[in-house]
Amino acid sequence: MAAFLYRIGRLAFRRRWTVALVWAAVLAAVGLAGMTAPEAEEEPFSMPGIESQEAFDLMEERFPGAAADGATARVVFVSPNGEKVTATENKKAVEAAIAELGDGTQVASTVDPYESGAVSEDGSTAYTTVTYKVDAAGLTDASRSHLDKSLEHARDSGLTVEAGGDAMEDMGGPSGTAEAIGVSVAAVVLLITFGSLAAAGLPLLTALIGVGISLFAITALAGSLGLADTTSTVAVMLGLAVGIDYALFIVSRYREERAKGRAPQEAVALATGTAGSAVVFAGLTVVIALAGLSVVGIPMLTEMGLGAAGAVVVGVLIALTLVPAFLGFWPNAILTRKDRKARRAGGTPRETRKVNGGTRWASFVLRRPLPVLLAAVAGLGALALPMTDLQLGMPGDEAKSTQTTQRRAYEALAEGFGPGFNGPLTVVVDAKDADDPKAAAETVSERIGGTEGVVSVSPAQFNESGDTAVFSVVPTTAPTDQETKDLVSSIRGDRSGIESAAGATFEVTGTTAMNIDVSEKVQSALVPYLLVVVGLAVILLLVVFRSILVPLKAAAGFLLSVLASLGAVVVVFQQGHGADLLGVETTGPIMSLMPIFLVGIVFGLAMDYEVFLVSRMREAYVHGERPAQAVTSGFRHSARVVVAAALIMIAVFSGFIGDSDAMIKMIGFGLASAVLLDAFVVRMAIVPAVLALLGERAWWLPKWLDRILPRVDVEGEALTRPAEPEAEPAEKDLARA
C-alpha cells in the first residue's frame, strides 16, 4: 500500500499540471451536469415495513385523488377577553378569514368550523384545516405569501390567529451559515497550526473542490434517483470536514519530511505513501459507517449515507492526487516563515522538535496510565448513565420556539380541545371482504372508542367504492407522551378481537403513530447496525495495525464516547439541564433518528483519529522503538494535528447549535459533544493509557492470523531510507517559489 501510494504521490508531483487539469475538468463536467439537470421532485417520507406506512399506502390506493400527502395548515382562532368565537362579530371575522384562505390557487379545500363542530366546548377556540393540492415542498412562494397575508388580515379583527401544519414549514433549505462558520474557524485553526497562509489555505481549497464535485454530482443525480435535500446537506457537511482533515494530514507529513532535509518531490511521495495510507484506511472506515446506514431500512437514511460516503471517497482521492500536485506548485510556500528564511539563507528547515505539547501529555499519561484510564472511563460512564432514560420520538410543533406561530397554535389547540387533539390517530378500515362494510366500520369505531385513553372518535368517511373507511381517534394525552404510545399498543393488541367481531381488518396510522413506529424500528435496527459497522471496522483495523487488542480497544472507546454523548443529549434536551443556555425552550423525546445518525457519523470520524494517531505509534514501533517510546513518538508527530482536526469538526457542528429549530440544535450539540469526548478523552487519554498498560502485548497477533492477513504496509516500512540532499538541481528554481 505505502509503496503504491508513494508512486502515486511522486507521479502527481511530477505531472501536477495534468492532475490539476483533470480535476478541473471533472469539476466543470459535474458542475455542468448539476446545473442543467431537471429539478428533483421531493419524495414523500417513506418507512417500509411498519404498520403506519402500510395504512398510508392503503389510503392512497383506496382514496385516489384525495391528496393524502397534500400539505395542510391548521388555522386556530381564539376569541379575545373571554368572548366566544360564536359571537356574531367574531363569527363573521372567522368566516371571512376562511373565505380568504380558500381563495389560494393551490388550495384544495377549507372546512367551516361551525358546520364541522370544530369549536371548543367553552366556545373560546375554533379551527379550520386548509388542505392543498400539493405537498409542502410543492407549495409556491405565492401560496405561502397568501397564507401569511390571510392570517394577518384575520388578526386585524381582534382575534388571536395562529397556524400550524406542514404548510407552515420553511422549505427554503439550509442557509449555509453553519458551513460558513465551520470554514472560518477551520481557517483560523489551520493558520495557528501551520503558521503559514499557504499551508492553511491548501486544505481548505482542496476540500472545497471536493465538496463542489460531490454537491454537483448529487444534484445531477437527484432527479433520476429522487434524492432529498438532506442528502446533499449531509454530504457537504462531512465532505468538508473529512476533506480538510485528510489534506491536513498529508500537508503536515510533507512538512515533517521537508524538515528532515528531503527534496520536495521525495517529501511529497513519502507523505503520500505514509500519511496517505492512513487517509485511505480512515476513509474506508467512514465509508463503512455511512454505507452501513442502509442496514436500518429507512430510504432517507440510506440516501444520506450513500451520498455522504461518495463525498468521502472524493475527499480521499483528492487528498492522494490533487494535494500532492498543489504541493508541487508551491513546495516552499507551505513551510513556515522561519523555515523559508532558513532556506533562502542556504540552511535547511528545522526538524520537528523532540519535545512538544504532545510528548509532554504522552509522558504524563505514561507515568500514571491506570489512574488516567479509570478517571476517563468513570467520567464517560457517568455521562452515559442518562442514556438509560432515553425516550425516542419525533418532536413536532411543541418543540418549536414560543416565538413561532406553530408553537402558539399547538398550545391554543391543547388548551381549547385537550392535549391529545394535536396528535390524533388515523384508523383505516379495510372492509372489502365484509358483508356490510358500514356495520364493520361502525363496530371497529365503537370498540376503539371504548378503549381507555380515547377522548373521541370522528364519524367514518368512506371511499367511492364503499369498501374502505377512515376515522380519527383523539387520545387524552399529548402526541409525545408515553401514555399515547401505550394507547397505540393497546389498540393494536386488541386487533384480533376487534377484527373478529367486525369481519374486517384495520390499521392505525397518522403522524403520531408514524413517529411511534419509526422510533421502534430505529431502536430495533440499532444493534444490528452496530454489529455490522463495528465488526467490519474491527476487521479493517486488524489489517491496518496487525493487532488483536488495538482494534478492540478502538471499538470499545468509540462506544463509550457515543453513549456519553447520547447521555449528554438526554440531559439537555430531554431532562432540561442547561437547556436555557442553548436556547432550548421545551424538552421532550430525543429525535428517533438521532442515535443511528450519531453512531454512523461519529464512528467514521472517531476511526479517523484512531488511524491517524495510532498508525504513527505503529510506525515508530515497527521501526524499532519500544512500546512506550512509540506512544510518545506518535503523540509528538500527530497530537497537534489531531487536535486541530477535532477543533475544526467541533466548530462545524457547533454552528448548528445556534439554529432556531430544536432538532437542528440537537444534532449539532450531539455531534459536537461526541467529537469532543472521542478526540480529547478517548483518543488522547484512554488510547495511550491502554497501550502503556499493555506494552508489547498491544501489538500481539497470533502467527496463524499473521500468515493469512494481507500485508498493506501502512507504516511505510518499505520506504525507509536516509535523508536526501536538500534539493535537486532541477528543482532549485522551483524551490524559490
Side-chain angles (χ1 to χ4, degrees):
M1 171 67 77
F4 172 74
L5 293 178
Y6 174 92
R7 292 192 293 272
I8 292 291
R10 192 179 185 92
L11 180 64
F13 183 97
R14 296 175 61 186
R15 306 293 184 187
R16 46 190 170 275
W17 279 109
T18 301
V19 173
L21 290 174
V22 167
W23 278 111
V26 171
L27 179 60
V30 295
L32 180 63
M35 289 185 287
T36 57
E39 187 174 350
E41 295 184 4
E42 187 74 17
E43 292 288 331
F45 180 80
S46 177
M47 178 69 71
I50 59 176
E51 178 177 329
S52 50
Q53 182 65 53
E54 293 171 356
F56 182 82
D57 294 340
L58 180 62
M59 288 174 61
E60 287 197 319
E61 176 189 341
R62 301 289 177 86
F63 292 84
D69 59 346
T72 60
R74 182 176 282 183
V75 182
V76 187
F77 305 92
V78 181
S79 57
N81 304 321
E83 298 178 11
K84 296 184 181 297
V85 289
T86 53
T88 303
E89 293 301 319
N90 290 335
K91 185 176 181 180
K92 286 182 180 179
V94 171
E95 290 175 338
I98 293 173
E100 184 177 356
L101 287 165
D103 285 340
T105 56
Q106 291 183 301
V107 174
S109 64
T110 57
V111 179
D112 188 325
Y114 302 103
E115 294 180 0
S116 63
V119 179
S120 63
E121 289 185 6
D122 62 4
S124 65
T125 310
Y127 74 91
T128 183
T129 301
V130 182
T131 305
Y132 290 86
K133 301 173 184 176
V134 296
D135 60 16
L139 286 177
T140 62
D141 292 338
S143 292
R144 295 181 185 279
S145 177
H146 176 266
L147 175 58
D148 292 337
K149 289 179 180 178
S150 299
L151 297 179
E152 287 299 324
H153 293 161
R155 291 178 183 125
D156 292 340
S157 66
L159 294 170
T160 297
V161 184
E162 309 294 349
D166 57 356
M168 300 299 298
E169 296 294 333
D170 180 14
M171 295 292 172
S175 64
T177 302
E179 287 84 351
I181 293 173
V183 170
S184 301
V185 174
V188 174
V189 172
L190 289 169
L191 186 59
I192 294 173
T193 302
F194 286 129
S196 162
L197 285 173
L202 193 149
L204 288 174
L205 175 61
T206 55
L208 290 173
I209 292 172
V211 165
I213 292 172
S214 302
L215 183 59
F216 281 129
I218 291 172
T219 303
L221 297 172
S224 57
L225 299 181
L227 303 179
D229 289 340
T230 49
T231 303
S232 59
T233 302
V234 175
V236 167
M237 181 174 64
L238 285 182
L240 182 63
V242 302
I244 293 174
D245 278 5
Y246 295 163
L248 170 66
F249 281 93
I250 297 288
V251 172
S252 176
R253 187 60 182 257
Y254 167 78
R255 296 204 335 171
E256 183 183 325
E257 296 299 333
R258 290 297 304 276
K260 294 176 181 178
R262 299 191 190 279
Q265 180 173 290
E266 181 68 9
V268 166
L270 285 170
T272 309
T274 52
S277 297
V279 166
V280 169
F281 283 97
L284 279 175
T285 60
V286 180
V287 169
I288 288 172
L290 293 171
L293 288 171
S294 57
V295 173
V296 183
I298 301 175
M300 182 183 73
L301 271 182
T302 301
E303 293 171 4
M304 288 167 55
L306 294 178
V312 172
V313 171
V314 172
V316 170
L317 294 176
I318 282 183
L320 297 178
T321 56
L322 189 58
V323 170
F326 280 172
L327 289 173
F329 288 122
W330 303 288
N332 289 340
I334 300 299
L335 305 179
T336 64
R337 184 178 300 175
K338 289 183 179 180
D339 289 343
R340 292 197 301 273
K341 285 183 179 179
R343 179 171 294 282
R344 285 194 293 269
T348 59
R350 301 166 300 160
E351 190 168 356
T352 305
R353 290 179 297 170
K354 294 296 183 182
V355 177
N356 57 22
T359 58
R360 285 191 289 270
W361 171 251
S363 298
F364 172 82
V365 176
L366 290 174
R367 286 196 301 269
R368 47 187 69 81
L370 189 58
V372 169
L373 177 61
L374 293 177
V377 172
L380 292 177
L383 278 175
L385 276 178
M387 257 287 293
T388 57
D389 190 37
L390 176 67
Q391 297 176 6
L392 296 180
M394 290 295 288
D397 288 345
E398 78 282 357
K400 289 183 168 60
S401 168
T402 53
Q403 304 301 314
T404 63
T405 186
Q406 296 100 312
R407 170 68 180 276
R408 294 194 294 267
Y410 179 94
E411 292 179 344
L413 285 170
E415 185 175 347
F417 297 90
F421 195 79
N422 283 295
L425 308 175
T426 300
V427 177
V428 185
V429 181
D430 184 359
K432 194 171 185 178
D433 298 327
D435 296 331
D436 187 346
K438 289 187 177 180
E442 185 176 346
T443 300
V444 174
S445 177
E446 288 178 355
R447 293 286 292 269
I448 291 178
T451 304
E452 183 179 355
V454 173
V455 173
S456 62
V457 175
S458 69
Q461 302 292 322
F462 281 84
N463 62 345
E464 291 185 2
S465 302
D467 59 7
T468 307
V470 175
F471 61 87
S472 296
V473 178
V474 178
T476 58
T477 51
T480 57
D481 287 352
Q482 179 62 37
E483 290 83 353
T484 305
K485 182 178 179 180
D486 295 338
L487 173 62
V488 173
S489 299
S490 178
I491 292 173
R492 289 172 172 170
D494 295 337
R495 186 194 310 276
S496 59
I498 296 174
E499 290 181 345
S500 177
T505 61
F506 75 89
E507 293 173 321
V508 182
T509 187
T511 302
T512 300
M514 176 72 78
N515 291 340
I516 292 171
D517 290 348
V518 169
S519 299
E520 291 180 349
K521 180 163 185 175
V522 169
Q523 282 182 300
S524 63
L526 184 57
V527 172
Y529 174 68
L530 279 173
L531 290 175
V532 170
V533 171
V534 175
L536 289 175
V538 165
I539 294 173
L540 185 64
L541 294 179
L542 185 66
V543 174
V544 173
F545 296 126
R546 306 195 73 78
S547 162
I548 293 289
L549 298 178
V550 170
L552 294 177
K553 175 265 306 170
F558 157 73
L559 291 175
L560 266 177
S561 61
V562 165
L563 291 176
S565 62
L566 278 174
V569 170
V570 170
V571 167
V572 175
F573 291 89
Q574 185 175 304
Q575 298 177 352
H577 302 295
D580 293 340
L581 298 176
L582 300 181
V584 179
E585 299 182 13
T586 302
T587 58
I590 305 305
M591 185 177 64
S592 298
L593 301 181
M594 184 67 183
I596 289 281
F597 189 76
L598 190 68
V599 167
I601 292 179
V602 175
F603 180 80
L605 301 182
M607 292 303 105
D608 271 5
Y609 306 138
E610 176 76 13
V611 171
F612 287 132
L613 185 61
V614 180
S615 63
R616 290 308 299 266
M617 299 177 189
R618 171 72 181 174
E619 180 179 340
Y621 177 76
V622 168
H623 290 165
E625 293 189 12
R626 301 294 299 165
Q629 292 176 311
V631 171
T632 303
S633 294
F635 269 83
R636 180 173 67 248
H637 294 297
S638 299
R640 185 177 64 161
V641 184
V642 168
V643 167
L647 289 176
I648 290 170
M649 293 282 188
I650 293 169
V652 171
F653 297 142
S654 294
F656 292 94
I657 298 177
D659 198 281
S660 59
D661 190 290
M663 287 189 290
I664 301 299
K665 283 180 183 291
M666 189 184 301
I667 291 172
F669 177 81
L671 292 176
S673 60
V675 171
L676 175 68
L677 294 172
D678 194 272
F680 292 100
V681 179
V682 174
R683 308 306 153 190
M684 291 293 175
I686 292 179
V687 166
V690 170
L691 292 178
L693 291 171
L694 291 176
E696 294 279 357
R697 290 167 295 181
W699 308 109
W700 172 78
L701 185 70
K703 291 183 179 180
W704 64 268
L705 188 56
D706 183 57
R707 287 193 299 270
I708 63 175
L709 282 179
R711 293 187 176 276
V712 294
D713 189 22
V714 176
E715 304 82 16
E717 188 176 5
L719 306 179
T720 304
R721 63 193 66 189
E724 298 177 2
E726 185 273 324
E728 298 166 5
E731 295 169 338
K732 280 290 186 182
D733 293 336
L734 178 63
R736 296 192 185 98

